[in-house]
Amino acid sequence: MAEQRAGFVALIGEPNAGKSTLLNRMVGAKVSIVTHKVQTTRARIRGVCMEGDAQIVFVDTPGLFRPRRRLDRAMVAAAWGGAADADIIVLLVEAHRGLTEGTAAIIDAMKDRIPQGQQVALAINKIDRVKAENLLALAQKMNDAFPFVETFMISAEKGYGVDKLREWLASQVPKGAWFYPEDQIADLPMRMIAAEVTREKLTLRLHEELPYQLTVETEKWEDRPDGSTRIDQVVYVARDGHKGILLGHKGETIKAIGQAARADLMEFLDRPVHLFLQVKVRPNWLDEPDRYSEMGLDFKDGD
Ligand SMILES: Nc1nc2c(ncn2[C@@H]2O[C@H](COP(=O)(O)OP(=O)(O)OP(=O)(O)O)[C@@H](O)[C@H]2O)c(=O)[nH]1
Ligand SMILES: [Mg+2]
């Protein structure tokens, strides 16, 4: 048998760059939630991908932006932590937005935040949205700003250029035993994936600030003898008014959200699912250490 290789690849970039979409494509399953809104991912999410004798563990991270709230700071800290621990970093930028102020700030911060000599590759994503001739100029500009070891042009959504990126990463990860069994695709407890699925549906359905003011936790998980699974979740919101919006007229909103989440969960688990959602008002949830640990984030005192 050929020698095994294995390594961690951190996906970093501005919110909405397509990091989670790329992770899901590499893994071949929806492990990390995706929405059109910024700041969807809140914690580090690992997805495992096999390429020949190489096991590539992709680490999806929250988008990097200038944090304001405690939760934002914890998210950004998790993202930089993921980058510093990785064997290889892939910085994603959006082809149609180019070298934005936000990306320039990330490049600046990389100089302090990541160990010297750590490989950073560039992935220009969403190439399906731009003309080919604009890409070369952007690639040049990006490489003038930072010494990327390689540049890839991809569309995480359409799958363009993704095989090349995966093959290159497989050739770069160090020699060493695999970290996970060959058939494992994620390193995230099922109850957390289930909570994320519900949070995705909430984020897609609710407007403006509300998605950023709530969190979802799976409280109970019961695999029943009849082959079905019962999942009980709590949605924490900060205000009474938010609860009202979430429930909707005659509870229609929460019902629709629950149905959408349940459909995804049934597909993911490949078994019947009974999903029960409860909405609780908890004015201080954004300052409660337990809420952070449930998400896999560090809670810092005095933040
Ligand atoms: N056109 C196009 N859209 C894409 C592509 N990749 C991702 N998107 C879309 O971009 C949006 C953001 O994608 P995500 O994968 O959630 O982005 P992210 O970087 O994980 O965002 P955060 O978790 O908020 O940091 C979604 O609406 C995706 O469908 C692509 O290659 N082409
Ligand atoms: Mg994401």
Side-chain angles (χ1 to χ4, degrees):
M1 206 178 92
E3 203 171 1
Q4 293 187 346
R5 326 170 64 94
F8 287 83
V9 174
L11 306 175
I12 68 167
E14 280 192 277
N16 236 19
K19 302 175 292 297
S20 303
T21 306
L22 181 60
L23 175 110
N24 292 339
R25 179 161 287 279
M26 290 296 193
V27 171
K30 187 156 162 187
V31 169
S32 194
I33 63 171
V34 169
T35 79
H36 58 288
K37 295 190 181 162
V38 296
Q39 295 164 39
T40 297
T41 305
R42 286 187 178 162
R44 273 181 299 235
I45 292 178
R46 288 177 181 173
V48 186
C49 157
M50 299 299 306
E51 173 71 28
D53 301 311
Q55 180 171 71
I56 312 170
V57 183
F58 285 95
V59 185
D60 185 14
T61 65
L64 292 164
F65 60 102
R66 192 168 299 141
R68 287 178 295 136
R69 307 180 298 170
R70 188 200 289 265
L71 175 60
D72 300 342
R73 283 192 291 276
M75 285 161 54
V76 168
W80 283 118
D85 292 344
D87 295 295
I88 305 167
I89 294 171
V90 178
L91 173 68
L92 273 84
V93 299
E94 291 170 280
H96 60 289
R97 292 184 63 226
L99 177 47
T100 57
E101 231 173 84
T103 294
I106 293 171
I107 289 175
D108 236 20
M110 277 201 306
K111 293 167 190 162
D112 303 328
R113 297 273 202 156
I114 61 172
Q116 281 238 319
Q118 191 173 20
Q119 292 194 69
V120 185
L122 173 67
I124 300 180
N125 187 31
K126 310 197 184 182
I127 59 167
D128 55 294
R129 296 192 56 168
V130 296
K131 293 211 177 79
E133 54 260 36
N134 301 336
L135 284 173
L136 287 179
L138 175 57
Q140 187 59 54
K141 204 166 159 188
M142 291 293 303
N143 279 277
D144 289 342
F146 190 88
F148 294 104
V149 289
E150 283 288 332
T151 297
F152 297 87
M153 316 269 190
I154 65 165
S155 168
E157 197 165 87
K158 311 264 185 227
Y160 308 151
V162 167
D163 291 348
K164 250 190 172 163
L165 172 59
R166 186 175 42 233
E167 284 157 21
W168 180 78
L169 289 168
S171 73
Q172 297 300 307
V173 292
K175 292 197 175 92
W178 295 338
F179 296 104
Y180 300 98
E182 214 174 333
D183 56 358
Q184 185 169 341
I185 57 166
D187 177 10
L188 194 66
M190 262 327 296
R191 45 199 292 282
M192 211 150 155
I193 294 183
E196 286 287 276
V197 168
T198 301
R199 194 166 62 78
E200 179 187 78
K201 304 310 171 200
L202 288 158
T203 304
L204 290 171
R205 178 93 187 198
L206 302 169
H207 301 293
E208 290 159 23
E209 276 300 297
L210 228 174
Y212 305 105
Q213 307 280 351
L214 58 80
T215 191
V216 183
E217 293 180 12
T218 301
E219 293 228 309
K220 258 195 271 166
W221 183 290
E222 188 196 350
D223 289 325
R224 291 172 160 178
D226 67 1
S228 69
T229 297
R230 177 187 167 126
I231 303 171
D232 287 78
Q233 295 179 331
V234 180
V235 185
Y236 289 112
V237 294
R239 290 198 247 136
D240 272 332
H242 289 172
K243 181 172 176 176
I245 297 170
L246 225 144
L247 295 177
H249 181 59
K250 291 188 184 161
E252 276 165 6
T253 306
I254 193 76
K255 192 168 162 211
I257 288 165
Q259 279 169 349
R262 180 172 161 267
D264 271 24
L265 286 167
M266 293 215 313
E267 198 187 314
F268 195 88
L269 296 171
D270 199 21
R271 53 195 284 158
V273 170
H274 311 280
L275 176 64
F276 294 88
L277 297 179
Q278 201 190 344
V279 184
K280 284 191 189 165
V281 181
R282 238 180 140 93
N284 292 325
W285 78 259
L286 276 153
D287 291 312
E288 292 176 347
D290 284 354
R291 305 284 81 74
Y292 287 68
S293 54
E294 273 292 322
M295 284 184 259
L297 290 173
D298 287 335
F299 181 88
K300 288 211 178 61
D301 267 335
D303 240 355

